[in-house]
Amino acid sequence: MMTVEEILYNEIKEFQASDRRAWMVIGDRYYRCENDILNRRIVRHTESGDIEDRSKANNRLAHGFVKNLVDEKIGYLLTKDYSLKCDNKEYIEKVKNVLGKYFQYTLTRLGYEASNKGIAWLQVYINEQGKFGMMIIPAEQCVPLWKDNTHTELYGMIRYYVQTVYEGKEKKQITRVEYYTDKEVYFYVLDNDHLIPDIEQYEGGPILHYKKGEEGRSWGKVPFIAWKNNHLEYPDVKFIKSLVDAYDKSRSEIDNFIEETKNLIYVLKGYGGENLSDFMKDLNYYRAIKIDDPEHGGVDTLTPKIDIQAAKEHFEQLKRDINEFGQGVPKDLDKYGNSPSGTALKFLYSGLDLKCNHLEVEFRQSFNQLLYFVNRYLAENGQGNYENENVELIFNRDIQINETETINNCVNSKGIISDETILANHPWVSDVEEELKQIEKERKSEEPPMFEAGDEG
């Protein structure tokens, strides 16, 4: 029968070699524009094997499509302040106070992590001052042990990471392993193929999750929350990598061709030299060459050509494919003009909306799991029992609108719906209550309004 340590080691080994972790690394690389093209080598086939040919042009053009698409997605969904909807306003204020004023920033970072790696992990803890805290753990360090095939509940979490330490005056790297259950934490060091207790950290454990005064406490759940990019838990790059690689390669090949065809191709007839290197040496030094056969000999030149139009159409189609399958907003607005209508804008943003909907559904589920820990914290600190409260996390998207069209719709709605609803949908109004107060103030004022209704420039 295998020991717990042997099981944990096997889980780490399996995860380290998994396709899922490989995509995490790829997603992170491509967001940093460290595409595969940067590792390309030009090789020459010889009798002794393939060797790198450094005499050939090897321009490696990496394009930041993945970064642009991820930035667009996060900027659209997660940069405006979130909202919480609940009938109990007092509870909402307590939740916001526990999460802190920087939770929107945490949400944004979780969005980037999930988009680039397929899943993000948020660890909850109680700090030394007894305050509720959260920390994003790199996904490639986390090996989840799921209770179910749908990946909704954990029975354990393994975290492993490399740390630099000193032994005497020598610096070395060790791999530390932490194993979290719903009650305790165990600490190990990876020594060759074995896990041994890490005596430098709580003597290897186990210890409870946190302390309340001098008393150890457990959360009752594994203190890690998964924030998924989609139900497949794959990063955005997986769906467009082959297209990005094709674009990088094609553009690099064209760049190589242009660099290598700056010079003419020489066709030699009756050349008196021994080899081609002698020909180039004579040409560069003497600006002349000798011909053995004056009657039939000579030097002709060829100018290599490329079908620029075909290459351009290929590049443009690849860009459209990357944007379409990456579910981005189309950048070529020739069909829609400089000021697209509201209907056209909805069509332009349909792909991005669909992609963000998947992330939003997963993040709302994750937020509900986070509330379990927030409620435990509130209860243990005597701030009330809120287990049965329902809270909805609302993402306020940075939606682009046609202002002129929206304002005209507001004017035409006068008398059909309430003024408060009209103001709430007016693009220039950020605070409806303040705007209503200002309107009432101006009505009571004896000063004439700056603009009369119906005035035209």
Side-chain angles (χ1 to χ4, degrees), residues 211-222:
K211 283 189 175 183
K212 174 81 172 168
E214 295 299 321
E215 182 186 356
R217 300 280 181 93
S218 295
W219 287 112
K221 285 188 176 183
V222 180

Side-chain angles (χ1 to χ4, degrees), residues 16 41 63-64 103 125 159 178 221 239 270 294 306 311 327 353 363 366 376 385 393 418-419 433 448:
Q16 185 74 17
R41 297 166 63 244
H63 299 81
F103 184 64
Y125 63 94
R159 183 196 174 195
E178 300 168 1
K221 285 188 176 183
F239 310 104
I306 188 171
Q327 296 177 292
D353 271 321
F363 271 35
S366 302
R376 283 289 298 265
N385 187 336
L393 175 64
S418 70
D419 288 348
E433 295 298 326

Side-chain angles (χ1 to χ4, degrees), residues 302-371:
L302 296 177
T303 304
K305 293 182 180 180
I306 188 171
D307 190 339
I308 296 297
Q309 186 59 33
K312 183 178 179 181
E313 290 177 1
H314 177 62
F315 297 148
E316 291 302 318
Q317 185 59 49
L318 274 175
K319 285 173 67 176
R320 287 192 292 270
D321 289 345
I322 291 169
N323 203 67
E324 179 179 353
F325 297 111
Q327 296 177 292
V329 178
K331 305 300 187 293
D332 48 343
L333 299 179
D334 298 342
K335 301 176 183 177
Y336 306 98
N338 294 325
S339 183
S341 67
T343 303
L345 280 170
K346 287 182 179 179
F347 177 76
L348 286 169
Y349 277 75
S350 60
L352 181 59
D353 271 321
L354 183 62
K355 181 167 61 173
C356 289
N357 287 343
H358 293 304
L359 185 71
E360 189 172 321
V361 167
E362 297 295 343
F363 271 35
R364 281 180 174 168
Q365 175 68 19
S366 302
F367 184 76
N368 288 333
Q369 295 182 22
L370 175 60
L371 286 178

Side-chain angles (χ1 to χ4, degrees), residues 39-308:
N39 299 319
R40 189 180 69 164
R41 297 166 63 244
I42 302 295
V43 297
R44 180 156 47 92
H45 303 291
T46 66
E47 293 181 358
S48 58
D50 294 343
I51 60 173
E52 185 172 3
D53 190 348
R54 298 184 180 273
S55 66
K56 294 287 188 180
N58 186 16
N59 296 302
R60 293 166 285 191
L61 306 182
H63 299 81
F65 288 110
V66 174
K67 183 180 187 304
N68 286 349
L69 287 167
V70 171
D71 284 349
E72 180 181 71
K73 169 185 171 182
I74 301 304
Y76 180 63
L77 183 65
L78 293 174
T79 53
K80 296 187 75 172
D81 288 344
Y82 71 96
S83 302
L84 297 178
K85 184 178 179 181
C86 178
D87 294 334
N88 190 333
K89 303 302 180 184
E90 180 186 10
Y91 176 51
I92 290 296
E93 291 305 312
K94 289 182 178 179
V95 170
K96 287 184 176 180
N97 185 54
V98 172
L99 296 178
K101 59 182 179 179
Y102 298 116
F103 184 64
Q104 181 63 53
Y105 174 68
T106 302
L107 271 178
T108 303
R109 287 185 57 212
L110 286 167
Y112 276 113
E113 179 84 357
S115 298
N116 290 329
K117 300 177 183 178
I119 193 169
W121 289 102
L122 186 70
Q123 181 182 3
V124 297
Y125 63 94
I126 302 298
N127 64 22
E128 294 179 353
Q129 290 74 41
K131 300 294 184 182
F132 187 88
M134 296 169 288
M135 178 169 55
I136 298 174
I137 306 297
E140 65 272 20
Q141 297 180 2
C142 299
V143 186
L145 306 176
W146 297 102
K147 281 186 177 181
D148 55 346
N149 290 332
T150 55
H151 293 185
T152 56
E153 190 172 357
L154 294 167
Y155 75 79
M157 170 63 79
I158 306 168
R159 183 196 174 195
Y160 69 102
Y161 56 95
V162 176
Q163 192 173 53
T164 301
V165 297
Y166 280 90
E167 287 189 356
K169 294 183 178 181
E170 292 186 6
K171 185 164 63 173
K172 62 178 292 187
Q173 290 187 326
I174 62 171
T175 300
R176 285 204 150 100
V177 178
E178 300 168 1
Y179 174 49
Y180 294 81
T181 69
D182 58 351
K183 296 182 177 64
E184 302 167 322
V185 189
Y186 298 79
F187 301 90
Y188 300 96
V189 173
L190 184 60
D191 184 18
N192 294 321
D193 296 338
H194 299 87
L195 291 179
I196 59 175
D198 187 355
I199 59 173
E200 294 182 2
Q201 295 195 83
Y202 307 101
E203 296 183 350
I207 63 169
L208 300 180
H209 291 147
Y210 63 94
K211 283 189 175 183
K212 174 81 172 168
E214 295 299 321
E215 182 186 356
R217 300 280 181 93
S218 295
W219 287 112
K221 285 188 176 183
V222 180
F224 283 79
I225 302 163
W227 301 73
K228 302 175 185 178
N229 187 40
N230 47 56
H231 73 283
L232 297 174
E233 299 174 22
Y234 274 120
D236 291 350
V237 70
K238 179 173 175 59
F239 310 104
I240 57 172
K241 181 180 181 296
S242 61
L243 295 170
V244 174
D245 288 342
Y247 191 89
D248 286 346
K249 182 180 179 182
S250 300
R251 290 298 298 267
S252 299
E253 292 290 357
I254 292 295
D255 202 32
N256 290 343
F257 179 85
I258 292 172
E259 181 175 326
E260 290 189 335
T261 55
K262 292 184 296 185
N263 302 317
L264 301 173
I265 295 177
Y266 296 95
V267 180
L268 309 181
K269 300 176 182 179
Y271 170 57
E274 294 181 358
N275 52 47
L276 292 177
S277 62
D278 289 340
F279 165 77
M280 293 304 299
K281 189 183 300 180
D282 290 345
L283 181 65
N284 291 329
Y285 186 78
Y286 297 108
R287 310 306 299 170
I289 59 172
K290 58 183 179 178
I291 300 295
D292 286 346
D293 187 352
E295 182 178 351
H296 298 97
V299 179
D300 294 333
T301 60
L302 296 177
T303 304
K305 293 182 180 180
I306 188 171
D307 190 339
I308 296 297

